[in-house]
Amino acid sequence: TARRKRNVRRLGDLHTLREKRATLLRPQGNANINAAQSDKSGKRVIEAEGLSFAYGDRAIVSDLTLRIDRGDRVGIIGPNGAGKTTLLNLLLGTLAPQAGTIRHGTRLEVVTLDQQREGLKDGTRVMDAVTGGRGDMVSVGGEQRHAMGYLKDFLFKPEQARQPIDALSGGERGRLALAIALARPSNLLVLDEPTNDLDLETLDVLQDAIANYDGTVLLVSHDRDFLDRLVTSTLTPAPEEGSGTWREYAGGYNDMVAQRKGAAKEKEAHSSSSPSSSGTKAPTKRQEKLSYKEKYALETLPARMEELEAQITTFQEKLADPTLFQVDQAAFQTATKGLEDAQTALAAAEEEWLALEMKREALEG
């Protein structure tokens, strides 16, 4: 009952934040731009104006203007290869734009959780990775906590705290990277595909952590439900408006889909009622349709994803045995490799499905 009430409260808070974001995204004229210059220090987190970047002839970002304020939770979504990570690096300033400007607010403390989990070093004990090798206490949000208790929040057993990182499964390594990132003091949390290696229990932990986070969040993900539950706005490619064009929509994934369909219908209605639509109509290009191969993939991918999820669950249950590594290291390595392969295949299938689903929705819109 308490959990349900808490989730209802969080949903209400999220809707309030989304309404504020929607108000900001609506055209306000010059008055809004001038007023923004007087915002107090620290309120503005990232401001991009006319941002552009390309690899050779391929535009990744074209003329992007974006403002992110303190407390915003922005989701970045798109098919594989759309340039999500490149856009993220441009916003963070780790990649210089070829045109336009990027400005950051004051007193930013950034913590990044990337796909590669590069901060995890084999041979290091799990507890030392969390505490930085400084005893058995960890500072979380300015509060000192025992590392054992903190790791328990991320579903680690007490005996795992003294295991080396290379004894962990792929999902456990993802959980550990998450624990380390969330323990560091920050006011800008950057998550690049954080859900790839996480089971349902850990996803719940991550969702709670982000929902309770007071700072700003940049989240790259293909998980529609995760975005719907957490973000205040969604950034997605808009190829119909030009190569490298990105568009921001208030709300999560489903809000974005509804707004895109609404905009498409409004454009169609405006086009049909315009004077140029009367009289002799110019020949129009036949609307693009999904190919047979794409339709077949869209129909069969959900079953394939369910099959991979079942494989992942089986491997995770096997690796949950704390004695497996000591008793049969070969079986442990086989299960770990199988889990990582299944997770990689699932991520690829989800990316393919997302790209096809977005294409289908755009065509139907």
Side-chain angles (χ1 to χ4, degrees):
T1 300
R3 186 174 184 81
R4 183 171 65 251
K5 288 180 179 178
R6 182 191 63 189
N7 288 338
V8 168
R9 173 182 58 79
R10 285 181 180 164
L11 186 61
D13 292 343
L14 181 59
H15 286 162
T16 301
L17 287 171
R18 285 178 174 174
E19 181 55 36
K20 289 180 180 178
R21 191 66 182 162
T23 301
L24 179 64
L25 291 176
R26 295 186 192 112
Q28 300 292 325
N30 292 332
N32 182 63
I33 297 174
N34 294 332
Q37 302 302 320
S38 63
D39 287 345
K40 65 181 181 180
S41 175
K43 177 177 173 58
R44 188 72 48 81
V45 177
I46 299 174
E47 186 170 16
E49 186 172 348
L51 208 63
S52 295
F53 187 88
Y55 290 113
D57 295 332
R58 181 179 169 232
I60 304 298
V61 179
S62 295
D63 196 27
L64 173 66
T65 295
L66 176 71
R67 166 182 159 180
I68 300 174
D69 286 342
R70 183 176 60 241
D72 287 341
R73 300 200 290 263
V74 181
I76 301 176
I77 189 171
N80 199 22
K84 300 187 294 293
T85 301
T86 298
L87 174 59
L88 192 64
N89 289 332
L90 287 169
L91 294 176
L92 294 175
T94 56
L95 182 64
Q98 294 166 342
T101 59
I102 184 81
R103 291 189 292 274
H104 293 143
T106 58
R107 303 189 302 275
L108 284 188
E109 293 185 70
V110 184
V111 166
T112 302
L113 179 68
D114 60 22
Q115 292 173 289
Q116 287 73 36
R117 320 295 193 227
E118 291 177 354
L120 303 180
K121 297 181 180 178
D122 288 348
T124 304
R125 293 193 314 166
V126 172
M127 177 181 287
D128 292 336
V130 171
T131 64
R134 297 183 294 272
D136 55 5
M137 302 297 290
V138 59
S139 177
V140 182
E143 178 184 344
Q144 290 293 317
R145 293 190 57 186
H146 196 281
M148 289 284 195
Y150 181 64
L151 286 168
K152 188 177 180 181
D153 291 346
F154 292 85
L155 311 181
F156 285 99
K157 298 180 176 64
E159 59 269 21
Q160 289 180 296
R162 293 183 171 82
Q163 284 184 347
I165 289 177
D166 43 309
L168 300 178
S169 67
E172 289 168 340
R173 291 170 73 96
R175 250 187 278 156
L176 178 59
L178 180 62
I180 295 170
L182 294 179
R184 295 173 185 160
S186 70
N187 48 35
L188 176 57
L189 184 62
V190 181
L191 304 169
D192 191 353
E193 299 286 8
T195 64
N196 277 1
D197 300 332
L198 304 182
D199 51 30
L200 291 176
E201 290 81 2
T202 314
L203 280 174
D204 198 30
V205 171
L206 176 59
Q207 183 180 318
D208 284 350
I210 296 177
N212 288 323
Y213 187 69
D214 290 331
T216 306
V217 178
L218 295 180
L219 171 64
V220 176
S221 180
H222 57 257
D223 190 323
R224 297 168 55 163
D225 182 65
F226 197 69
L227 290 163
D228 280 338
R229 290 172 181 269
L230 289 172
V231 301
T232 57
S233 66
T234 304
L235 261 176
T236 187
E240 67 277 4
E241 299 181 28
S243 179
T245 303
W246 292 76
R247 185 68 55 207
E248 184 182 15
Y249 299 89
Y253 180 89
N254 284 321
D255 296 299
M256 177 269 293
V257 171
Q259 290 172 61
R260 289 178 68 168
K261 287 183 177 179
K265 289 179 180 178
E266 183 178 342
K267 183 178 180 181
E268 182 180 348
H270 181 269
S271 176
S272 62
S273 62
S274 64
S276 60
S277 64
S278 60
T280 304
K281 293 185 178 180
T284 57
K285 184 179 179 181
R286 184 179 179 182
Q287 184 180 9
E288 184 185 359
K289 296 181 179 180
L290 291 178
S291 68
Y292 173 80
K293 184 178 179 181
E294 289 173 328
K295 288 180 180 178
Y296 179 77
L298 200 55
E299 293 170 357
T300 58
L301 277 170
R304 172 61 176 160
M305 289 188 286
E306 287 183 8
E307 179 185 342
L308 289 167
E309 286 169 349
Q311 291 178 20
I312 289 171
T313 300
T314 300
F315 285 126
Q316 286 173 338
E317 289 174 351
K318 189 170 186 178
L319 290 167
D321 181 0
T323 65
L324 180 62
F325 182 74
Q326 289 81 9
V327 174
D328 191 344
Q329 292 190 18
F332 177 86
Q333 295 295 342
T334 299
T336 300
K337 181 66 165 58
L339 177 61
E340 291 175 350
D341 290 345
Q343 288 170 334
T344 300
L346 177 60
E350 287 174 334
E351 284 281 5
E352 183 182 359
W353 178 85
L354 175 63
L356 292 171
E357 181 68 10
M358 291 181 70
K359 183 176 181 180
R360 181 190 66 79
E361 288 171 347
L363 293 176
E364 290 183 357

